Amino acid sequence: MKYSVFWRMVRIWLGIVFIYAGYDKIFHPKDFAQAVYNYQLLPDSLINITAVVLPWFEIVLGLFMVTGFWLEGCAVAGSALLFVFLSAMGVNMARGLNIHCGCFSVTAESAMDIWTLLRDSILLLISVFLTASVLRRNEGSSKK
């Protein structure tokens, strides 16, 4: 599959999703730290640093995706990040914990449910296909 205008639009859209996801968390670090804590997956010593660093990482990742800067790394990092998010939600749903997702807004109440998992699964699939497209494009250009 050739890297096309379609995949460029998908890349920009996915970048905007990451920017949007990080934006609210930056302005509400205490609320986001509580959301991270509620997942019960990290040791307490990593909660605050995760709550401070992760939103900035999402925004920088999104900006790089939108601009196309370091695209190969961004595509892989985006897929990995979405996989981690989806796994964390799946683990907590399997545990039966009814916690706030913290995905896009840490101040709005939105419990995790099957629709949250479906949304993140679709985002992950899109990101994986984008990653494959970007890596194939670069593989083809290096053979020339």
Side-chain angles (χ1 to χ4, degrees):
M1 173 178 0
K2 190 175 179 182
Y3 189 76
S4 64
V5 172
F6 170 75
W7 286 114
R8 190 167 293 125
M9 290 180 357
V10 168
R11 167 181 57 85
I12 291 169
W13 173 78
L14 198 55
I16 291 169
V17 168
F18 277 112
I19 293 167
Y20 180 72
Y23 179 78
D24 186 63
K25 297 170 192 168
I26 286 174
F27 292 106
H28 302 97
K30 183 179 176 187
D31 295 324
F32 184 53
Q34 183 63 50
V36 172
Y37 174 79
N38 290 342
Y39 275 83
Q40 299 178 15
L41 294 172
L42 294 176
D44 290 349
S45 60
L46 294 179
I47 300 293
N48 288 336
I49 191 72
T50 300
V52 170
V53 172
L54 184 59
W56 287 104
F57 182 74
E58 287 177 313
I59 287 180
V60 169
L61 178 65
L63 289 171
F64 281 10
M65 282 185 137
V66 166
T67 62
F69 181 74
W70 197 53
L71 190 52
E72 300 82 9
C74 287
V76 171
S79 294
L81 197 57
L82 287 166
F83 176 78
V84 168
F85 293 159
L86 185 62
S87 298
M89 285 190 289
V91 164
N92 277 294
M93 286 185 74
R95 288 177 174 170
L97 294 179
N98 185 17
I99 62 173
H100 172 60
C101 171
C103 299
F104 293 103
S105 174
V106 293
T107 55
E109 289 298 320
S110 61
M112 285 187 298
D113 57 16
I114 194 68
W115 299 111
T116 310
L117 284 178
L118 181 62
R119 178 199 64 208
D120 278 24
S121 296
I122 291 169
L123 286 171
L124 176 59
L125 283 173
I126 290 168
S127 185
V128 166
F129 282 114
L130 173 66
T131 300
S133 176
V134 167
L135 294 177
R136 271 195 214 113
R137 175 191 73 167
N138 288 344
E139 181 182 290
S141 65
S142 67
K143 290 181 180 179
K144 294 180 182 178

